[in-house]
């Protein structure tokens, strides 16, 4: 049977959480970089003050709900353990689950809990706790997509093992349960903060938290005594705070702050490639963008280098209409799309696209540059005769009325490391959050083939077919891929360098005296 020790699942540069592979003793060592560049021996002690984006009206204390605030995600990532995580070198690495095995028929995965894992009240983490947590997620219609099998197919094997059984062979279960599967103590309330993560909740007020070191963490006690999580409503305010010394780390603060920090030379700038993506999304099932010719025209309208330079200040790379650019199976042979207004205009004419009307283009101020990217693309579209009116919505309106429903909008995903992740979450026809209403038989068959594949060659072949179908006719215009940009005081060492929510794993950070 395949195990975590000899199998990898779409390994690439990391996405949503950064831990290095398990050491021989079974403890996690963080995938880190030295922010100051000076090296040195890690030391214990001190309080790390972390600035993170977070809006008061979106604050969430339940680790199983959708977390739109980075500040909430950071708190959950430190207080709770997920079953698996990506690292800088592996797309699936152990966390609370130390190992896993696949059954001969490919349908059932059995996971074993990490040795010594305990909740913050000292009680051991058992399979009952994990199964209760996963079933709690899987039975909530709003968040059930986070668990890749039905609730009744998550079962206790024994005190230290649990299983997930899929209706069909699925080689990707360990990847699909990563990070979002935060485990709570059975029957506990979110307000009790009973996790098994590297930090314990000390105080919490309206999204601001002080966390203290968990000496008993199964991955090894963190270096800092405490972490203070300070939410900011804007990247500019966070940048000012780290420049002024009121915080030690500005997490995912963005390109503008990165340029400012580079200019003053007193702070360290950490760049993480393939960090996130904010695609333009066109509905394929109905409406004005249902015609593939129109979608191709829109992709040819985009001046991608200009968008990367203007919106991301050069902190990123040009995209090519495929989600998951950190994937080891990324098909780099796909021709790079470039701007071609003449061809775009001809395609629009062939499709009888109405250039006499104005089309709503919805966006949300969720990630640095998201609104700016929408406004810049609208200007570019006007050069091809396509009139777009950018409408900025608040988070409630966007997620209630626009996401997965509107004809044209943009979105932010804080990970961009795995083709299969996006296939499962937003691309396949029965995905809970099929963002475009896409239904492409060739893509569906390739995805099924990938799940059943038992070796890298077969997985690569299936992934390549999936990417070709997405590139040819999906509803995504992936104009660029964002570098993650963190700014830190030079006294901060051991910061994670993995992309996406890799920045959330701070247990190996230490402070110079």
């Amino acid at each position: 049977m395949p195990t975590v020790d000899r199998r990898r699942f779409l390994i690439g540069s990391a996405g949503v959480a950064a831990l290095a592979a398990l050491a021989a003793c079974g403890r996690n060592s963080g995938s880190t970089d030295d922010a100051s560049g000076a090296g040195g021996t890690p030391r214990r002690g001190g309080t790390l003050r972390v600035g993170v984006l977070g809006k008061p009206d979106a604050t969430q204390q339940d680790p199983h709900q959708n977390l739109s605030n980075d500040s909430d995600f950071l708190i959950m990532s430190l207080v709770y353990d997920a079953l698996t995580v990506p690292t800088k070198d592996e797309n699936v690495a152990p966390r609370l689950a130390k190992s896993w095995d696949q059954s001969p028929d490919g349908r059932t995965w059995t996971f074993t809990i990490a040795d010594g894992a305990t909740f913050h009240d000292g009680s051991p983490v058992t399979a009952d706790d994990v199964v209760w947590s996963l079933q709690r997620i899987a039975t909530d219609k709003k968040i059930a997509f986070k668990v890749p099998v039905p609730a009744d197919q998550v079962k206790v094997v024994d005190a230290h093992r649990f299983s997930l059984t899929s209706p069909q062979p699925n080689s990707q279960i360990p990847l699909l349960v990563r990070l979002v599967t935060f485990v709570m103590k059975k029957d506990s309330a979110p307000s009790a903060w009973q996790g098994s993560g590297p930090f314990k909740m000390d105080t919490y007020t309206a999204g601001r938290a002080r966390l203290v070191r968990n000496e008993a963490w199964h991955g090894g006690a963190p270096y800092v005594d405490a972490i203070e999580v300070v939410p900011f409503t804007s990247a500019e305010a966070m940048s000012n705070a780290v420049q002024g010394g009121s915080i030690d780390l500005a997490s995912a603060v963005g390109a503008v702050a990165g340029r400012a920090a580079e200019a003053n030379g007193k702070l360290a700038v950490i760049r993480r490639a393939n960090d996130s993506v904010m695609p333009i999304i066109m509905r394929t099932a109905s409406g004005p963008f249902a015609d593939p010719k129109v979608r191709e025209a829109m992709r040819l309208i985009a001046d991608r280098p200009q968008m990367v330079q203007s919106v991301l200040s050069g902190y990123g790379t040009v995209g090519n209409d495929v989600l998951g650019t950190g994937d080891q199976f990324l098909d780099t042979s796909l021709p790079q799309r470039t701007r071609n207004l003449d061809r775009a205009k001809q395609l629009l004419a062939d499709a009888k696209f109405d250039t006499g009307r104005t089309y709503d283009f919805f966006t949300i101020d969720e990630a640095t540059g998201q609104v700016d990217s929408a406004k810049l693309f609208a200007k570019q579209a006007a050069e091809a005769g396509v009139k777009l009116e950018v409408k900025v919505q608040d988070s409630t309106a966007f997620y209630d009325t626009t996401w997965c429903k509107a004809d044209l909008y943009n979105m932010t995903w804080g990970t961009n490391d795995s083709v299969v992740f996006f296939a499962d979450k937003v691309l396949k026809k029965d995905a809970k959050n099929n963002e475009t209403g896409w239904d492409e038989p060739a893509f569906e068959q390739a995805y099924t083939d990938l799940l059943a594949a038992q070796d890298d060659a077969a997985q690569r072949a299936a992934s390549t077919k999936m990417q070709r179908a997405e590139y040819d006719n999906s509803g995504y215009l992936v104009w660029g891929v964002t570098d993650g940009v963190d700014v830190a005081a030079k006294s901060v060492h051991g910061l994670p360098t993995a992309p996406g929510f890799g920045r959330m794993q701070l247990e190996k950070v230490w402070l110079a005296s």
Side-chain angles (χ1 to χ4, degrees):
M1 290 185 294
T3 71
V4 66
D5 297 319
R6 67 185 184 88
R7 295 272 328 237
R8 291 186 177 185
F9 306 94
L10 299 181
I11 296 167
S13 38
V16 233
L19 296 176
L22 285 181
C25 64
R27 292 188 171 186
N28 289 310
S29 59
S31 174
T32 61
D33 193 10
D34 192 333
S36 71
T41 302
R43 61 178 290 272
R44 285 165 65 94
T47 296
L48 177 69
R49 301 165 299 170
V50 184
V52 203
L53 290 174
K55 297 181 179 180
D57 60 353
T59 298
Q60 177 60 255
Q61 294 187 55
D62 189 334
H64 293 161
Q65 293 301 315
N66 292 320
L67 305 173
S68 58
N69 278 344
D70 271 8
S71 54
D72 292 334
F73 211 112
L74 175 57
I75 292 169
M76 304 309 173
S77 297
L78 298 174
V79 172
Y80 300 94
D81 277 321
L83 297 176
T84 64
V85 293
T87 71
K88 189 174 182 180
D89 301 312
E90 292 186 318
N91 213 315
V92 184
R95 185 71 162 189
L96 184 57
K98 72 173 184 178
S99 62
W100 44 87
D101 295 279
Q102 188 178 18
S103 63
D105 67 1
R107 295 178 55 233
T108 299
W109 285 89
T110 301
F111 294 78
T112 302
I113 296 170
D115 297 335
T118 59
F119 290 108
H120 295 157
D121 65 2
S123 60
V125 179
T126 69
D128 280 331
D129 299 302
V130 177
V131 171
W132 177 82
S133 294
L134 295 184
Q135 290 181 342
R136 183 174 185 264
I137 299 170
T139 53
D140 185 331
K141 291 182 180 180
K142 294 183 297 182
I143 55 175
F145 67 92
K146 296 181 179 182
V147 178
V149 302
D152 62 359
Q153 295 303 307
V154 183
K155 298 179 179 179
V156 172
V157 176
D158 57 36
H160 303 290
R161 295 186 299 158
F162 58 95
S163 65
L164 281 75
T165 300
S166 174
Q168 62 280 324
N170 191 335
S171 63
Q172 305 303 311
I173 292 292
L175 182 148
L176 297 176
V177 298
R178 65 181 191 173
L179 195 66
V180 295
T181 50
F182 293 124
V183 172
M184 300 169 60
K185 184 175 181 177
K186 184 179 180 180
D187 296 327
S188 67
S191 58
W193 298 104
Q194 276 303 315
S196 60
F199 289 86
K200 302 178 182 182
M201 180 61 69
D202 183 24
T203 61
Y204 178 90
T205 305
R208 182 169 183 149
R210 176 180 168 83
L211 312 172
V212 296
R213 176 171 53 229
N214 178 12
E215 295 284 359
W217 187 51
H218 63 87
Y223 290 120
V224 297
D225 295 333
I227 291 179
E228 292 181 357
V229 179
V230 183
F232 288 85
T233 57
S234 72
E236 181 181 10
M238 195 194 329
S239 175
N240 291 337
V242 75
Q243 296 270 0
S246 60
I247 59 174
D248 306 302
L249 169 63
S251 179
V253 70
V256 174
R259 291 293 182 206
E262 285 181 344
N264 79 15
K266 296 179 180 179
L267 297 166
V269 179
I270 298 90
R271 293 179 64 165
R272 297 171 280 103
N274 293 307
D275 180 70
S276 60
V277 63
M278 52 180 81
I280 294 169
I281 299 171
M282 300 168 281
R283 184 160 182 79
T284 65
S286 59
F289 304 100
D291 190 326
K293 293 188 183 70
V294 175
R295 298 198 298 275
E296 183 181 354
M298 296 292 279
R299 288 190 278 261
L300 293 174
I301 284 170
D303 185 336
R304 299 160 196 251
Q306 183 189 40
M307 294 187 75
V308 170
Q309 189 58 44
S310 178
V311 176
L312 306 180
S313 296
Y315 280 85
T317 56
V318 168
N320 201 28
D321 304 325
V322 171
L323 297 162
T325 58
D327 200 313
Q328 75 159 8
F329 296 149
L330 183 68
D331 185 2
T332 57
S333 70
L334 291 171
Q336 175 62 58
R337 280 201 173 96
T338 58
R339 195 176 207 212
N340 188 334
L341 290 182
D342 290 339
R343 174 63 177 159
K345 291 176 182 178
Q346 184 60 56
L347 286 165
L348 293 172
D350 292 346
K352 297 181 173 55
F353 183 80
D354 185 359
T355 55
R357 59 171 284 197
T358 297
Y359 300 87
D360 291 337
F361 183 12
F362 296 100
T363 187
I364 180 176
D365 189 10
E366 189 170 64
T368 303
Q370 187 170 352
V371 173
D372 290 340
S373 71
K375 292 178 178 178
L376 179 55
F377 181 73
K379 290 180 180 179
Q380 294 177 354
E383 297 175 33
V386 177
K387 294 186 284 292
L388 303 178
E389 182 178 351
V390 175
K391 294 191 172 181
V392 183
Q393 295 182 305
D394 62 33
S395 59
T396 300
F398 182 86
Y399 287 108
D400 285 350
T401 65
T402 297
W403 189 36
C404 303
K405 300 180 183 72
D407 293 328
L408 183 68
Y409 61 100
N410 72 359
M411 182 65 184
T412 293
W413 282 92
T415 181
N416 195 38
D417 66 322
S418 167
V419 169
V420 76
F421 171 87
F422 285 105
D424 179 76
K425 303 306 179 189
V426 299
L427 279 165
K428 61 189 179 76
K429 65 180 179 181
D430 61 350
K432 170 68 175 178
N433 298 308
N434 185 334
E435 292 181 321
T436 70
W438 197 39
D439 183 358
E440 172 55 54
F443 182 88
E444 299 293 326
Q445 183 59 57
Y447 180 69
T448 299
D449 293 344
L450 187 148
L451 296 185
Q454 293 296 308
D455 59 70
D456 281 356
Q459 288 188 13
R460 181 183 293 277
S463 179
T464 298
K465 292 179 181 178
M466 290 166 59
Q467 292 173 64
R468 171 57 72 172
E470 183 182 355
Y471 175 88
D472 285 343
N473 65 7
S474 82
Y476 288 91
L477 194 174
V478 183
W479 55 266
V481 180
T482 307
D483 288 348
V485 181
D486 307 323
V487 174
K490 291 194 174 181
S491 59
V492 181
H493 300 255
L495 286 168
T497 57
F501 287 107
R503 69 185 186 278
M504 301 295 183
Q505 304 304 323
L506 300 177
E507 61 270 7
K508 297 304 177 184
V509 173
W510 59 280
L511 301 174
S513 55

